[in-house]
Amino acid sequence: MPKVISIINLKGGVGKTTITIALGEIMAFNHNLKVLIIDLDPQTNATVALIGEDVWARRNIRGQTLMQLFRDKLENTSIFSAEEAIIKNVSNVGGGINGLDLLPSSLDLIELQDLIINIPVSRFLPFKPVTVLAEAVVDHLPGYDVILIDCPPNLGLITQNGLIISQHYLIPVIPDVLSTYGIPQIVSRIKRLSASTGIAIHPLGVVANKFRKQNIHHTNQLTLLKLSEAEGGYHRLFNTVIPETSRAAAAMDFTAVCMNLHHKYGYEIPYTMYTALTEEVLKYVQA
Ligand SMILES: Nc1ncnc2c1ncn2[C@@H]1O[C@H](COP(=O)(O)OP(=O)(O)O)[C@@H](O)[C@H]1O
Ligand SMILES: [Mg+2]
C-alpha cells in the first residue's frame, strides 16, 4: 500500500501547494515512484499548476473533480468516478511527468464546502462524512507508492477526509510567529481525529519555507522550532530549510513550458532544497 502524506497548515500562503508539487514531481521524475497528488483545496492551485486552467475547466464541467464527489453526497447522485477523474502524467515538465497523477479539485468546492457542513449525517449512509474520499479512491490506492494530499487551510470535513487516509502529515511553515502559531492546534486536533477513528496519523515534521536568513525573526523562530521538537508534538523540524526565492514562486506557472526539473527549479536554489526535502521525506516514511 502507498505511503500517504497530508500537507497541512491552518494558515494559507505558507507553501503547502508549492511543496506538494515539488515533492510529487521529484519523487516521480528522480525516484521513479508512482505518485498521486490529491488536491483537496477548493482554491484549486495545485490542480491549475499541474494541468492548466483550460484542461481543468473542461474536466470541471464534466464533473471530473472532487467537487462532484461531494456534490453527489448532497444531491444523492453518483456521477463522480475516480477512474475518470484521475489525470495521468501531469505537470508542465517535459509535457507531463511519467508516474505523476492528479486527482483534481474545483473552485466550485468553495461554495459546496459551506453546504456540506449542513448535510445531515444520514445522507452519507452507508458512508460516514469523513470516509467519502476513502470510499471513492480505495481501489486506486494500491497502484501508487506515494500519495500527497494538498489540504485546505482548515481542519474541516474535507480536510478530515484526506487525513483519515493518511499515515503521516507534514506541516510547512514560514518561520515567523503567525505561521507557527497554529502548530499545537493542528497536532492536538489530528491526535483527537486519530483517537476517535482508530486510524494512526503520525506527524512527519515541520518544514520551514520562505526562509530569509537576514531576518532575525526567521532565524530566531527556526531555533525555537528546533528546540521545541520534542515537546511541540510535531516530531521534528526538517533539516532542509527552503529559502524565499522568486524561482519557487515562478515555478507554479503552468504556462511556463519546462524541459526538465532543472529548467523549472534551477540547478542550485530551490532545486537542491526540494531534492533534499524529498530525500528526507522518503527516508522518514520509508517509501
Ligand atoms: N520558497 C518560496 N519562495 C518564494 N515564494 C514562495 C515559496 N514557496 C511558495 N511561494 C509562493 O508563496 C505563495 C503561497 O504559496 P502556496 O504554495 O500557494 O501556499 P499555500 O498552499 O500554503 O497557500 C505562492 O504565491 C507561492 O508561489
Ligand atoms: Mg495551497
Side-chain angles (χ1 to χ4, degrees), residues 16-17 41 45 150:
K16 295 181 293 297
T17 301
D41 191 351
N45 293 345
D150 188 15

Side-chain angles (χ1 to χ4, degrees), residues 210-219 222 243-244 269:
K210 293 195 189 177
F211 175 64
R212 280 184 255 140
K213 66 168 181 272
Q214 318 293 358
N215 183 325
I216 184 76
H217 298 296
H218 279 203
T219 45
L222 212 53
E244 182 165 65
I269 294 170

